[in-house]
Short mmCIF file of all heavy atoms in Angstrom, two decimals:
data_model
loop_
_atom_site.label_atom_id
_atom_site.label_comp_id
_atom_site.label_asym_id
_atom_site.label_seq_id
_atom_site.Cartn_x
_atom_site.Cartn_y
_atom_site.Cartn_z
N SER A 179 7.86 -17.33 10.54
CA SER A 179 9.26 -17.74 10.35
C SER A 179 9.47 -18.13 8.88
O SER A 179 10.58 -18.02 8.35
CB SER A 179 9.60 -18.90 11.27
OG SER A 179 8.66 -19.92 11.10
N LEU A 180 8.40 -18.53 8.22
CA LEU A 180 8.47 -18.88 6.81
C LEU A 180 8.40 -17.63 5.92
O LEU A 180 9.11 -17.51 4.92
CB LEU A 180 7.30 -19.81 6.48
CG LEU A 180 7.19 -20.39 5.09
CD1 LEU A 180 8.36 -21.31 4.82
CD2 LEU A 180 5.88 -21.17 4.95
N ILE A 181 7.53 -16.68 6.29
CA ILE A 181 7.26 -15.51 5.44
C ILE A 181 8.23 -14.35 5.73
O ILE A 181 8.61 -13.62 4.82
CB ILE A 181 5.79 -15.03 5.66
CG1 ILE A 181 4.80 -16.17 5.36
CG2 ILE A 181 5.48 -13.80 4.81
CD1 ILE A 181 4.79 -16.66 3.94
N ASN A 182 8.59 -14.16 6.97
CA ASN A 182 9.42 -13.02 7.40
C ASN A 182 8.78 -11.68 7.00
O ASN A 182 9.44 -10.78 6.49
CB ASN A 182 10.85 -13.13 6.83
CG ASN A 182 11.83 -12.20 7.53
OD1 ASN A 182 11.68 -11.90 8.71
ND2 ASN A 182 12.80 -11.69 6.79
N GLY A 183 7.50 -11.58 7.27
CA GLY A 183 6.77 -10.34 6.94
C GLY A 183 6.89 -9.28 8.01
O GLY A 183 6.70 -8.10 7.74
N TYR A 184 7.20 -9.70 9.24
CA TYR A 184 7.28 -8.74 10.35
C TYR A 184 8.72 -8.46 10.76
O TYR A 184 9.55 -9.38 10.80
CB TYR A 184 6.55 -9.30 11.58
CG TYR A 184 5.04 -9.15 11.52
CD1 TYR A 184 4.24 -10.20 11.10
CD2 TYR A 184 4.43 -7.96 11.89
CE1 TYR A 184 2.85 -10.07 11.04
CE2 TYR A 184 3.05 -7.82 11.85
CZ TYR A 184 2.26 -8.87 11.42
OH TYR A 184 0.90 -8.73 11.38
N ILE A 185 8.95 -7.19 11.14
CA ILE A 185 10.22 -6.85 11.80
C ILE A 185 9.99 -6.84 13.30
O ILE A 185 10.82 -7.33 14.07
CB ILE A 185 10.75 -5.49 11.29
CG1 ILE A 185 11.17 -5.62 9.81
CG2 ILE A 185 11.93 -5.01 12.14
CD1 ILE A 185 11.63 -4.32 9.17
N THR A 186 8.85 -6.29 13.74
CA THR A 186 8.52 -6.25 15.16
C THR A 186 7.11 -6.79 15.36
O THR A 186 6.20 -6.43 14.60
CB THR A 186 8.55 -4.78 15.67
OG1 THR A 186 9.85 -4.26 15.44
CG2 THR A 186 8.22 -4.70 17.16
N ILE A 187 6.94 -7.64 16.36
CA ILE A 187 5.60 -8.13 16.71
C ILE A 187 5.26 -7.54 18.09
O ILE A 187 6.02 -7.69 19.04
CB ILE A 187 5.55 -9.66 16.71
CG1 ILE A 187 5.89 -10.18 15.30
CG2 ILE A 187 4.16 -10.16 17.13
CD1 ILE A 187 6.33 -11.61 15.26
N ASN A 188 4.12 -6.88 18.17
CA ASN A 188 3.76 -6.12 19.37
C ASN A 188 2.84 -6.98 20.26
O ASN A 188 1.69 -6.62 20.51
CB ASN A 188 3.03 -4.84 18.90
CG ASN A 188 2.82 -3.84 20.00
OD1 ASN A 188 3.57 -3.81 20.97
ND2 ASN A 188 1.79 -3.02 19.85
N LYS A 189 3.39 -8.10 20.74
CA LYS A 189 2.53 -9.11 21.35
C LYS A 189 1.88 -8.68 22.67
O LYS A 189 0.64 -8.62 22.77
CB LYS A 189 3.35 -10.39 21.55
CG LYS A 189 2.51 -11.55 21.99
CD LYS A 189 3.30 -12.83 21.95
CE LYS A 189 2.43 -13.93 22.54
NZ LYS A 189 3.10 -15.22 22.55
N GLN A 190 2.71 -8.36 23.66
CA GLN A 190 2.16 -8.09 25.00
C GLN A 190 1.22 -6.89 25.01
O GLN A 190 0.11 -6.96 25.56
CB GLN A 190 3.30 -7.86 26.02
CG GLN A 190 4.20 -9.06 26.24
CD GLN A 190 3.43 -10.38 26.43
OE1 GLN A 190 2.29 -10.41 26.90
NE2 GLN A 190 4.05 -11.48 26.03
N LYS A 191 1.66 -5.81 24.36
CA LYS A 191 0.83 -4.60 24.37
C LYS A 191 -0.48 -4.82 23.62
O LYS A 191 -1.51 -4.24 23.97
CB LYS A 191 1.59 -3.42 23.75
CG LYS A 191 2.61 -2.81 24.69
CD LYS A 191 3.10 -1.48 24.11
CE LYS A 191 4.43 -1.09 24.70
NZ LYS A 191 5.21 -0.22 23.83
N SER A 192 -0.44 -5.65 22.58
CA SER A 192 -1.67 -5.91 21.82
C SER A 192 -2.68 -6.65 22.68
O SER A 192 -3.89 -6.35 22.64
CB SER A 192 -1.37 -6.74 20.56
OG SER A 192 -0.61 -5.99 19.67
N ILE A 193 -2.21 -7.62 23.46
CA ILE A 193 -3.14 -8.37 24.32
C ILE A 193 -3.70 -7.44 25.41
O ILE A 193 -4.92 -7.44 25.67
CB ILE A 193 -2.45 -9.61 24.92
CG1 ILE A 193 -2.10 -10.59 23.80
CG2 ILE A 193 -3.35 -10.28 25.97
CD1 ILE A 193 -1.24 -11.76 24.22
N ALA A 194 -2.83 -6.62 25.98
CA ALA A 194 -3.30 -5.69 27.02
C ALA A 194 -4.34 -4.73 26.46
O ALA A 194 -5.38 -4.47 27.08
CB ALA A 194 -2.11 -4.92 27.59
N ARG A 195 -4.06 -4.23 25.25
CA ARG A 195 -5.01 -3.30 24.61
C ARG A 195 -6.34 -4.02 24.30
O ARG A 195 -7.43 -3.44 24.45
CB ARG A 195 -4.37 -2.75 23.33
CG ARG A 195 -5.23 -1.80 22.55
CD ARG A 195 -5.25 -0.40 23.16
NE ARG A 195 -6.12 0.48 22.40
CZ ARG A 195 -7.05 1.26 22.93
NH1 ARG A 195 -7.24 1.28 24.23
NH2 ARG A 195 -7.79 2.04 22.17
N ALA A 196 -6.24 -5.27 23.89
CA ALA A 196 -7.45 -6.04 23.57
C ALA A 196 -8.33 -6.18 24.82
O ALA A 196 -9.55 -6.07 24.75
CB ALA A 196 -7.06 -7.41 23.03
N GLN A 197 -7.68 -6.40 25.96
CA GLN A 197 -8.45 -6.52 27.21
C GLN A 197 -9.19 -5.21 27.52
O GLN A 197 -10.37 -5.22 27.86
CB GLN A 197 -7.52 -6.92 28.37
CG GLN A 197 -7.11 -8.38 28.27
CD GLN A 197 -5.91 -8.74 29.12
OE1 GLN A 197 -5.14 -7.87 29.54
NE2 GLN A 197 -5.71 -10.04 29.36
N GLU A 198 -8.48 -4.10 27.34
CA GLU A 198 -9.12 -2.79 27.55
C GLU A 198 -10.31 -2.61 26.62
O GLU A 198 -11.38 -2.15 27.02
CB GLU A 198 -8.13 -1.65 27.21
CG GLU A 198 -7.13 -1.30 28.29
CD GLU A 198 -6.07 -0.33 27.73
OE1 GLU A 198 -6.36 0.47 26.80
OE2 GLU A 198 -4.93 -0.43 28.21
#
Side-chain angles (χ1 to χ4, degrees):
S179 53
L180 184 65
I181 303 297
N182 195 31
Y184 280 97
I185 292 177
T186 302
I187 299 160
N188 191 26
K189 188 170 174 180
Q190 297 314 332
K191 282 192 201 154
S192 293
I193 294 172
R195 179 78 182 131
Q197 286 163 342
E198 279 170 29

